[in-house]
Amino acid sequence: MNIIETQALTRRFGKMEAVHDLTLHVPEGSVFALLGSNGAGKTTTLKLLMNLLAPTAGSARVLGVDSRRLGEREFARIGYVSENQQQPLWMTVRQLLDFCRPLYPTWDRALEASLLRQFALPESRKLSQLSRGMQMKAALLSSLAYRPKLLVLDEPFSGLDP
């Protein structure tokens, strides 16, 4: 089974075509990367897959569902981290995890604890008080702890130390 499929996927912004006629198949269990220069359409493609943007033409299927019809059931199985995503900066790391946990029936508390240690995240600090890299670690943790079937990462490592 393919976890992602696109057929002639296209997205225009006015006269500019950000994604042109993209057809791809990503098999379940694989690791797949979109590589290209700035402005090549990588982020736009991911937004099309996550139903954050509608295609101008073509189609996409994610987890076997038309991307324009992704719902609660599918989003509970997709981890998505973007370098530009908004976080509730007024929350502490602990509050973020406590907020996210009930949204995902597959949340793994042991994995949460392990990632907290590995990422050296200070649970009592507000996200606004964390460095950019630490904020990205908190976003990654909150997207990995429920063991998603599909993990979509849009430059999640910007701001992280090697």
Side-chain angles (χ1 to χ4, degrees):
M1 175 182 143
N2 291 318
I3 202 154
I4 295 173
E5 296 179 356
T6 69
Q7 185 66 42
L9 189 64
T10 300
R11 175 59 195 213
R12 289 183 194 88
F13 296 98
K15 292 182 180 184
M16 192 217 26
E17 197 167 54
V19 177
H20 173 75
D21 201 30
L22 177 65
T23 298
L24 63 88
H25 305 276
V26 179
E28 186 174 349
S30 66
V31 175
F32 184 85
L34 292 173
L35 302 175
S37 59
N38 292 340
K42 302 177 299 292
T43 294
T44 300
T45 298
L46 295 180
K47 287 181 176 182
L48 291 165
L49 294 174
M50 295 295 98
N51 195 25
L52 297 172
L53 287 174
T56 305
S59 64
R61 296 184 69 76
V62 177
L63 299 174
V65 175
D66 184 315
S67 65
R68 294 167 293 189
R69 291 181 169 71
L70 292 174
E72 180 180 328
R73 182 174 171 266
E74 291 79 30
F75 285 122
R77 299 168 56 213
I78 299 172
Y80 177 68
V81 179
S82 168
E83 70 171 334
N84 299 320
Q85 78 187 50
Q86 298 293 313
Q87 294 198 66
L89 297 176
W90 57 270
M91 284 186 177
T92 65
V93 171
R94 173 55 43 212
Q95 289 170 328
L96 174 67
L97 299 175
D98 290 345
F99 174 80
C100 291
R101 193 179 307 107
L103 301 174
Y104 301 98
T106 58
W107 193 278
D108 183 336
R109 289 197 74 139
L111 179 57
E112 171 192 329
S114 174
L115 291 172
L116 264 172
R117 281 189 307 277
Q118 289 177 50
F119 292 169
L121 283 166
E123 295 180 58
S124 62
R125 295 251 310 269
K126 288 186 178 190
L127 296 173
S128 64
Q129 298 171 333
L130 299 178
S131 69
R132 170 92 175 115
M134 293 296 262
Q135 287 178 11
M136 290 308 296
K137 286 181 183 182
L140 279 168
L141 191 160
S142 67
S143 292
L144 292 171
Y146 56 95
R147 298 187 181 273
K149 185 169 183 76
L150 172 63
L151 183 60
V152 178
L153 305 173
D154 186 7
E155 299 194 33
F157 305 116
S158 65
L160 289 180
D161 294 332

